[in-house]
């Protein structure tokens, strides 16, 4: 009987289709999720609260980010929504799996091929260090054991919250992180006006405003390096409005601190709410995470202001000056850079005479740009030499030491250019280490600007790149400044070092870069570093903790710079914005602008010059000297003051901005005409901001004998100046004026 029964079951099993047979081993056993105490976690700064509700079922819901709440615990009355067919709305760190069907912050593929992750609260900790409050929330997936920590650092005074995630794989099997974003934010407003930047070489940081509709908007970089030459990983969301305002309304701004591929997604759901997810791009990066390994995401910076875009910018700038920029809050020297004045063609003599002129005009540093290296493959144009970082003895037989010493004797600091991540096929390095070049087996290694990229995911290459910096520093005893360039994007990617783990490439490259930078900063804490990438290709809060400033754009045309500098100021402080006076016709645009206009634009950032001074007339040199001298009097405001944008070149015919000292006792105001207005009667009224209405300010125009404002030299109340009484006459395209205000 028993045998018959067995035979019967065996027959029945045979008759089942193959698929059904395979599933026989599945038993439906649900793992119970422990209940937790319902609680409110409020992450607070001086004026903001980010409120996360921990439900009894262990899920996390972001319920508020905005004005500071006196009683965030009032959210305790809110219950978790049940039976929501559209997924966990407001999940603080939404993961692919469970009920969630929107854009995920986390998407994990496990060793058994499954894709589901459901994160539940297991605990949290608060700590405080130097005024920064850190909240760490621990989460767990009870089926796979995956652990996640969400870390929020609240910078109280600056109203900035830096958020990142750490993902730990405690299993014995590797998992793949298909996506591991830094942070997500769920926002509830009637309208979302997205402000972000797009661009290209010589036209970085062009402004876009767009009212978000439903579905998903992505801002992404897949360039590998030079990640910000197109879009920038920064944005603003003006809430409940269709208008962008400098001075009023709720604005949430965000910026991802990462110099590699990134993705910002904005998904407006069927409830008209917006889920923002920000992090490393998942593009070709299903990151393998081995047993017991932890993946740490970069920081996502958030700020909120009720004072429009201006308020949000000032929060980010204050934070950046104190925490986000290497050497932030200090003044960087004015300089003459050799690039547009000499390009690749110079001798020692050429450079010495440039230094004489730089010192004569009152500049404080000389920077020797590209072209100083390579012997067998001399760097006489961009065809050859990258990788061979020895001094070209034909051009500079006396060496770099001689130049640096000459500069120092003239009272100038000395800086030099390198591009250590790159190699020309025509170089000794390319011949010696073909395995260090980014390449995909059997495929052409594409060139950009005649160069290849070194594989910074390889520790041996990291050592080599560090060594380039180290050796360059030893070319002279006192090198004060290094310009670090990076002139192409990654194409046809592939790392000979990573073998089959190519998914690691984009992330490991960027982390390799940061490892090198950290090593450099340990050994060279004092040297100033400019971060350049064909101009503004690497302007982000991932690289700024190692760099004192950025080369904003290769476009040095002052009119083009109005647009670039305006947009840059939305997210990045003026202290990092290098801006140079160059020759006319401008080498990029062919435009001819007056020297005064060029100075007035460059003086809004870190002032420099980039031309052959020999070609300036005595009169022009005198004007240069005058502008540089006056800049030195007020530049502390550029480096440490609060920015107020007064007029946008994108909106009309004028650009205006001002920097105000923290104590409101001094300010510098810049005004430029960027488009001819035929019928301007009585000047253009700029409503100044940020002054003390009750104080009297003496207003003095800089660098002119005859002022364009009737009130020049007189004192006015802050109230009067902010109400629109300040109206310089800027009658023509390229009219411009700088005014210094001192409280009496
Ligand atoms: C890039 C930089 C320039 C200059 C050149 C030198 O284009 O952006 O400023 O340094 O490289 O080759």
């Amino acid at each position: 009987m028993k045998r018959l029964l067995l035979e019967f079951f065996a027959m029945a099993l045979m008759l089942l289709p193959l698929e059904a047979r395979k599933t026989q081993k599945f038993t439906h056993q649900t793992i119970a999720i422990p209940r937790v105490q319902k609680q409110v976690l409020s992450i607070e700064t001086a004026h903001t609260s980010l409120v996360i509700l921990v439900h009894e079922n262990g899920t996390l819901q972001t319920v508020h980010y905005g004005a500071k709440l006196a009683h965030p615990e009032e959210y305790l009355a809110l219950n978790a929504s049940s039976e929501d067919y559209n997924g966990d709305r407001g999940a603080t760190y939404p993961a692919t799996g469970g009920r969630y069907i929107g854009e995920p912050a986390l998407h994990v593929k496990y060793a058994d091929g499954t894709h589901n992750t459901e994160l539940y609260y297991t605990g949290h900790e608060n700590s405080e260090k130097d005024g920064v409050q850190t909240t760490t929330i621990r989460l767990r997936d009870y089926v796979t054991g995956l652990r996640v920590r969400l870390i929020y650092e609240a910078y109280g005074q600056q109203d900035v919250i830096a958020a990142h995630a750490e993902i730990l794989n405690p299993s014995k099997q590797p998992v793949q992180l298909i996506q591991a974003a830094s942070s997500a934010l769920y926002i509830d407003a009637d309208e979302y006006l997205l402000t972000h930047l797009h661009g290209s070489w010589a036209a970085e940081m062009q402004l876009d405003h767009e009212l978000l509709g439903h579905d998903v908007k992505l801002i992404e970089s897949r360039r590998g390096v030079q990640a910000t030459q197109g879009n920038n990983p920064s944005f603003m969301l003006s809430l409940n409005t269709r208008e962008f305002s400098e001075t009023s309304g709720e604005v949430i701004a965000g910026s991802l601190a990462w110099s590699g591929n990134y993705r910002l997604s904005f998904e407006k759901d069927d409830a008209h709410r917006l889920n923002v997810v920000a992090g490393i791009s998942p593009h070709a990066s299903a990151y393998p995470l081995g047993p017991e390994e932890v993946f740490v995401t970069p920081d996502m910076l958030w700020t909120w202001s009720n004072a429009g875009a201006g308020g949000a910018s000032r929060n980010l700038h204050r934070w950046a000056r104190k925490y986000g920029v290497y050497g932030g809050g200090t003044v960087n020297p004015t300089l003459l850079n050799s690039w547009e004045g000499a390009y690749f063609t110079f001798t020692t003599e050429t450079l010495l005479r440039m230094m004489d002129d730089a010192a004569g005009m009152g500049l404080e540093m000389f920077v020797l740009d590209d072209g100083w290296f390579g012997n067998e493959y001399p760097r006489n144009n961009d065809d050859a030499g990258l990788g061979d970082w020895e001094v070209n003895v034909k051009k500079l037989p006396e060496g770099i030491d001689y130049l640096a010493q000459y500069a120092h004797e003239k009272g100038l600091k000395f800086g030099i250019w390198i591009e250590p991540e790159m190699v020309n096929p025509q170089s000794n390095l390319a011949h010696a280490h073909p395995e260090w070049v980014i390449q995909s087996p059997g495929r052409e290694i594409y060139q950009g600007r005649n160069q290849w990229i070194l594989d910074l995911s390889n520790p041996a290459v990291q050592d080599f790149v560090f060594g380039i910096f180290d050796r360059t520093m030893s070319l002279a005893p006192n090198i004060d400044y290094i310009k670090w360039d990076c002139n192409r994007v990654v194409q046809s990617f592939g790392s000979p070092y990573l073998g089959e783990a190519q998914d690691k490439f984009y992330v490991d490259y960027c982390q390799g870069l940061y490892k090198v930078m950290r090593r450099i900063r340990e050994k060279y804490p004092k040297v100033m570093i400019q971060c350049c990438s064909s101009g503004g290709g690497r302007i982000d809060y991932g690289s700024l903790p190692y760099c004192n400033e950025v080369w904003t754009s290769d476009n040095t045309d002052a009119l083009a710079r109005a647009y670039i500098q305006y947009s840059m100021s939305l997210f990045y402080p003026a202290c990092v914005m290098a801006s140079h006076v160059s020759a006319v016709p401008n080498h990029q645009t062919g435009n001819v602008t007056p020297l005064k206009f060029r100075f007035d634009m460059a003086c809004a950032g870190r002032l420099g010059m980039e031309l052959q001074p020999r070609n300036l007339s005595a009169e022009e040199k005198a004007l240069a000297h005058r502008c540089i001298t006056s800049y030195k009097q007020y530049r502390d405001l550029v480096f440490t003051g609060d920015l107020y944008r007064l007029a946008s070149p994108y909106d009309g015919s004028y650009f205006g901005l001002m920097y105000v000292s923290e104590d409101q006792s001094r300010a510098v105001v810049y005004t430029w005409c960027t488009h001819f207005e035929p019928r301007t009667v009585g000047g253009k009224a700029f409503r100044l901001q940020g002054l003390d209405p009750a104080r009297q300010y003496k207003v003095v125009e800089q660098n002119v004998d005859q002022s364009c404002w009737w009130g020049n030299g007189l004192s006015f109340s802050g109230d009067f100046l902010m109400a629109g009484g300040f109206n310089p006459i800027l009658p023509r395209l390229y009219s411009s004026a700088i005014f210094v205000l001192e409280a009496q």
Side-chain angles (χ1 to χ4, degrees):
M1 183 63 191
K2 208 168 153 195
R3 215 178 114 218
L4 266 177
L5 262 175
L6 272 174
E7 265 174 13
F8 172 78
F9 277 116
M11 283 284 289
L13 203 61
M14 296 283 284
L15 291 173
L16 280 172
L18 189 65
E19 280 310 304
R21 263 184 280 154
K22 273 194 191 159
T23 62
Q24 289 304 299
K25 66 178 189 279
F26 277 71
T27 54
H28 188 82
Q29 263 190 345
T30 306
I31 292 182
I33 311 300
R35 307 292 282 178
V36 296
Q37 193 193 342
K38 191 172 190 183
Q39 56 188 309
V40 161
L41 307 179
S42 187
I43 294 152
E44 296 180 349
T45 65
H47 306 99
T48 72
S49 306
L50 171 64
V51 184
I52 295 168
L53 184 57
V54 182
H55 289 288
E56 279 153 345
N57 65 7
T59 56
L60 294 189
Q61 187 186 0
T62 301
V63 284
H64 174 80
Y65 180 48
K68 189 161 186 167
L69 301 182
H71 300 290
E73 68 283 359
E74 290 181 59
Y75 273 112
L76 280 174
L78 179 66
N79 286 326
S81 60
S82 57
E83 290 299 312
D84 188 338
Y85 289 105
N86 284 324
D88 288 329
R89 290 187 206 276
T92 299
Y93 192 68
T96 294
R99 285 184 175 279
Y100 192 70
I101 51 178
E103 278 286 310
L106 182 68
H107 179 176
V108 184
K109 185 176 175 191
Y110 296 93
D112 64 359
T114 58
H115 287 254
N116 278 300
T117 301
E118 292 181 67
L119 296 174
Y120 295 98
Y121 172 89
T122 57
H124 77 276
E125 285 85 39
N126 293 316
S127 62
E128 201 256 89
K129 199 177 166 220
D130 303 331
V132 183
Q133 304 276 348
T134 302
T135 304
T136 304
I137 307 175
R138 285 179 279 117
L139 304 170
R140 179 175 179 172
D141 180 290
Y142 281 94
V143 174
T144 62
L146 191 89
R147 311 254 164 88
V148 172
R149 297 188 336 141
L150 303 180
I151 294 125
Y152 296 88
E153 287 166 308
Y155 296 85
Q157 290 311 308
Q158 296 77 21
D159 285 325
V160 167
I161 295 173
H164 78 273
E166 293 177 1
I167 295 124
L168 167 72
N169 171 21
S171 75
K172 298 224 158 25
Q173 305 285 338
V175 301
Q176 274 177 42
L177 300 180
I178 291 176
Q179 176 152 18
S182 298
S183 183
L185 188 65
Y186 198 60
I187 308 167
D188 187 358
D190 292 338
E191 301 278 9
Y192 312 90
L193 180 72
L194 175 68
T195 299
H196 64 106
L197 311 178
H198 68 98
S200 65
W201 175 76
E204 295 85 345
M205 308 222 179
Q206 304 297 304
L207 192 70
D208 246 350
H209 296 297
E210 98 189 59
L211 199 62
L212 289 176
H214 291 83
D215 218 330
V216 184
K217 158 86 188 171
L218 291 182
I219 298 175
E220 194 164 20
S221 172
R222 299 175 177 210
R223 293 162 177 252
V225 297
Q226 219 176 47
T228 70
Q229 194 127 59
N231 308 316
N232 195 278
S234 308
F235 63 89
M236 284 190 186
L237 286 164
S238 304
L239 305 181
N240 302 310
T241 177
R242 295 179 167 220
E243 296 286 325
F244 178 81
S245 167
E246 270 300 331
T247 51
S248 63
E250 278 192 76
V251 171
I252 290 174
S255 191
L256 184 74
W258 185 244
S259 313
N261 289 349
Y262 61 83
R263 179 146 103 179
L264 311 172
S265 69
F266 302 83
E267 183 177 31
K268 187 167 160 181
D269 66 16
D270 56 340
H272 320 298
R273 292 185 196 146
L274 190 71
N275 191 35
V276 184
V277 177
I280 293 174
S281 168
H283 169 66
S285 294
Y287 202 89
L289 194 62
E292 296 301 326
E293 279 182 358
V294 182
F295 186 84
V296 180
T297 73
D299 271 337
M300 175 64 191
L301 307 168
W302 298 105
T303 191
W304 172 91
S305 170
N306 205 14
S313 297
R314 284 186 292 282
N315 291 349
L316 283 176
H317 296 173
R318 285 183 196 139
W319 176 85
R321 285 195 297 265
K322 185 144 189 214
Y323 302 102
V325 173
Y326 195 85
T330 51
V331 163
N332 294 331
T334 56
L335 61 87
L336 175 68
N337 175 296
S338 68
W339 181 239
E340 286 197 22
Y343 291 111
F344 295 103
T345 314
F346 51 79
T347 58
T348 301
E349 184 61 18
T350 323
L351 303 178
L352 298 187
R353 297 296 74 82
M354 285 177 102
M355 290 189 220
D356 292 342
D357 282 326
M361 289 185 291
L363 294 171
E364 298 156 306
M365 180 155 69
F366 179 74
V367 178
L368 172 56
D369 210 282
D370 199 352
W372 59 266
F373 51 90
N375 285 302
E376 211 172 318
Y377 299 95
R379 184 74 172 166
N380 293 330
N381 50 47
D382 61 21
D383 282 352
L386 285 176
D388 299 349
W389 298 98
E390 75 273 356
V391 184
N392 180 303
V393 290
K394 220 163 161 193
K395 281 188 202 174
L396 305 172
E398 297 85 354
I400 298 296
D401 189 11
Y402 181 77
L403 294 172
Q405 201 180 328
Y406 188 85
H408 289 135
E409 276 162 18
K410 287 250 138 198
L412 297 172
K413 293 185 186 303
F414 183 80
I416 192 163
W417 179 96
I418 53 174
E419 195 183 358
E421 296 157 80
M422 301 288 161
V423 55
N424 284 121
Q426 290 193 59
S427 66
N428 285 322
L429 177 67
H431 300 145
H433 286 289
E435 80 287 4
W436 282 1
V437 175
I438 290 176
Q439 58 196 283
S440 188
R443 298 182 193 279
E444 181 177 348
I445 312 177
Y446 293 108
Q447 295 179 27
R449 208 192 188 208
N450 311 309
Q451 63 200 49
W452 291 333
I453 312 183
L454 296 178
D455 176 12
L456 259 187
S457 70
N458 181 343
V461 175
Q462 293 164 17
D463 285 345
F464 176 78
V465 169
F466 172 79
I468 294 170
F469 195 101
D470 208 25
R471 276 200 309 282
T472 308
M473 287 299 291
S474 67
L475 289 172
N478 290 309
I479 299 227
D480 302 288
Y481 176 103
I482 296 275
K483 175 174 174 179
W484 179 302
D485 211 338
C486 169
N487 276 311
R488 63 159 298 186
V489 300
V490 174
Q491 290 161 329
S492 189
F493 83 94
S495 159
Y497 169 75
L498 288 171
E500 285 180 4
Q502 296 296 314
D503 276 308
K504 283 182 154 185
F505 172 74
Y506 283 116
V507 170
D508 284 11
Y509 185 102
C510 192
Q511 284 176 345
L513 175 70
Y514 294 158
K515 270 186 208 155
V516 173
M517 285 293 185
R518 274 197 291 274
R519 239 172 117 184
I520 287 170
R521 276 312 184 193
E522 264 165 39
K523 183 154 181 194
Y524 299 106
K526 289 213 180 101
V527 69
M528 288 172 276
I529 301 180
Q530 182 187 68
C531 180
C532 172
S533 180
S534 298
R538 205 176 248 168
I539 301 181
D540 58 72
Y541 283 117
S543 44
L544 282 170
Y546 309 104
C547 301
N548 303 67
E549 62 171 33
V550 299
W551 181 223
T552 311
S553 174
D554 273 354
N555 192 338
T556 53
D557 177 341
L559 182 61
R561 273 300 184 99
Y563 297 87
I564 295 169
Q565 295 186 183
Y566 168 89
S567 311
M568 176 159 173
S569 81
L570 291 172
F571 307 105
Y572 302 97
C575 64
V576 303
M577 188 174 72
S579 196
H580 295 176
V581 171
S582 59
V584 287
N586 181 270
H587 292 190
Q588 289 74 40
T589 64
N591 200 12
V592 177
T593 57
L595 186 59
K596 170 80 166 40
F597 185 77
R598 279 176 271 157
F599 263 103
D600 287 355
M601 193 60 70
C603 283
R606 194 277 288 135
L607 170 66
M609 294 180 80
E610 188 165 331
L611 42 65
Q612 173 49 272
R614 201 180 45 200
N615 298 336
L616 293 174
S617 67
E619 220 182 5
E620 287 173 321
K621 276 189 180 150
L623 178 60
H625 188 270
R626 190 172 180 182
C627 293
I628 293 163
T629 308
S630 96
Y631 175 78
K632 289 180 189 165
Q633 306 300 311
Y634 62 75
R635 67 171 158 189
D636 59 306
L637 298 167
V638 178
F639 283 86
T640 64
D642 274 332
L643 165 75
Y644 293 86
R645 285 176 293 263
L646 308 175
S648 164
Y650 290 90
D651 292 343
S653 307
Y654 302 94
F655 181 21
L657 60 86
M658 60 193 287
Y659 303 112
V660 185
S661 66
E662 209 183 329
D663 65 1
Q664 296 175 301
S665 68
R666 291 165 61 236
V668 54
V669 178
Y670 302 75
T671 58
W672 302 272
C673 177
T674 52
H675 189 87
F676 172 61
E677 284 284 344
R679 292 186 196 279
T680 42
V681 183
K684 153 76 182 159
F686 290 91
R687 288 177 175 75
L688 301 191
Q689 299 173 47
L691 301 174
D692 181 342
R695 272 163 113 171
Q696 291 287 119
Y697 293 89
K698 184 172 177 188
V699 183
V700 178
E701 186 175 350
Q702 305 293 295
N703 309 321
V704 286
D705 299 325
Q706 242 193 329
S707 176
C708 65
W709 189 44
W710 52 267
N712 188 49
L714 304 176
S715 292
F716 298 89
S717 65
D719 175 55
F720 177 85
L721 296 167
M722 293 195 288
F726 174 72
N727 59 346
I729 296 176
L730 303 167
R732 310 177 66 175
L733 172 62
Y734 306 139
S735 302
S736 63
I738 298 178
F739 298 86
V740 169
L741 276 59
E742 304 244 10
Q744 299 302 292

